[in-house]
Amino acid sequence: MIVRLLLTVGLLLGCAYRSHASILVEFDFTGQPGDQASTLASWTGPAVMASPFRRGSGLDPRTGANSIGAQSWTTGDLIDLNSDYFEFVISPSAGATLDIDCIAFGEFRSASGITEFTLRSSLDDFRSNVIDAPVTVPDDGSTRGHELTLGSAFDVIVSSVTFRLY
């Protein structure tokens, strides 16, 4: 599984499949056991720094080839903002500005896995969803690709921003 954070130069045009997009950060989980604590970025663009991709402290590791897995998610209507998430931080180098338009990644679940997820950021201390509504995850073990388009709040990033998948 590969997670990509993308930059679109100029207009807000979308994700990796557009010819205008440049990848800012890539996390490649190929060869990973799934229960590793974190995964380093496999690639970063010029003037970009990234933290490792990691699971929050409230989640237990779950093995699964070529992934980073988690179990023991809090169930119910309330999101545990402090511990149940996957997270990474992206930062521009000094003097640089980032325009982050999209996050693209693959996802799969077990029979007892999550039924939906959402994306939040540190720009508002994880209080609101970055995307319009939570994404429903089908009740099967198939791998799905997701492209989450970000809004104008991510057009001029001059300091670190943390993203969390809840």
Side-chain angles (χ1 to χ4, degrees), residues 12 19-20 36 47 55-56 59 63 73 79 82 86 105 112 116 145-147 153 159:
L12 205 74
S19 62
H20 301 81
Q36 71 276 14
R55 78 177 63 72
L59 301 176
T63 58
W73 295 85
I79 296 173
N82 297 314
F86 285 109
F105 60 94
S112 61
E116 66 181 21
H146 299 281
E147 295 180 4
S159 60

Side-chain angles (χ1 to χ4, degrees), residues 12-81:
L12 205 74
L13 295 175
C15 279
Y17 307 111
R18 307 280 172 97
S19 62
H20 301 81
S22 299
I23 297 172
L24 289 178
V25 176
E26 183 173 275
F27 296 91
D28 185 351
F29 298 95
T30 304
Q32 297 291 308
D35 62 352
Q36 71 276 14
S38 63
T39 299
L40 296 172
S42 55
W43 189 87
T44 58
V48 178
M49 297 170 288
S51 73
F53 190 95
R54 67 178 191 90
R55 78 177 63 72
S57 62
L59 301 176
D60 294 326
R62 182 177 176 98
T63 58
N66 304 314
S67 70
I68 185 167
Q71 58 190 3
S72 305
W73 295 85
T74 300
T75 58
D77 292 335
L78 296 177
I79 296 173
D80 185 341
L81 296 177

Side-chain angles (χ1 to χ4, degrees), residues 19-164:
S19 62
H20 301 81
S22 299
I23 297 172
L24 289 178
V25 176
E26 183 173 275
F27 296 91
D28 185 351
F29 298 95
T30 304
Q32 297 291 308
D35 62 352
Q36 71 276 14
S38 63
T39 299
L40 296 172
S42 55
W43 189 87
T44 58
V48 178
M49 297 170 288
S51 73
F53 190 95
R54 67 178 191 90
R55 78 177 63 72
S57 62
L59 301 176
D60 294 326
R62 182 177 176 98
T63 58
N66 304 314
S67 70
I68 185 167
Q71 58 190 3
S72 305
W73 295 85
T74 300
T75 58
D77 292 335
L78 296 177
I79 296 173
D80 185 341
L81 296 177
N82 297 314
S83 63
D84 287 8
Y85 54 80
F86 285 109
E87 170 183 88
F88 66 94
V89 180
I90 183 169
S91 307
S93 295
T97 300
L98 302 178
D99 177 7
I100 307 169
D101 293 328
C102 178
I103 296 176
F105 60 94
E107 158 273 315
F108 65 93
R109 68 176 291 255
S110 68
S112 61
I114 62 165
T115 56
E116 66 181 21
F117 68 84
T118 193
L119 178 69
R120 294 187 178 194
S121 82
S122 60
L123 293 185
D124 71 351
D125 201 27
F126 311 104
R127 286 189 294 271
S128 60
N129 295 340
V130 170
I131 53 178
D132 291 334
V135 176
T136 300
V137 177
D139 191 12
D140 62 43
S142 299
T143 299
R144 290 162 285 277
H146 299 281
E147 295 180 4
L148 306 179
T149 302
L150 308 182
S152 61
F154 301 93
D155 285 352
V156 183
I157 301 296
V158 296
S159 60
S160 297
V161 61
T162 302
F163 289 97
R164 288 183 178 171

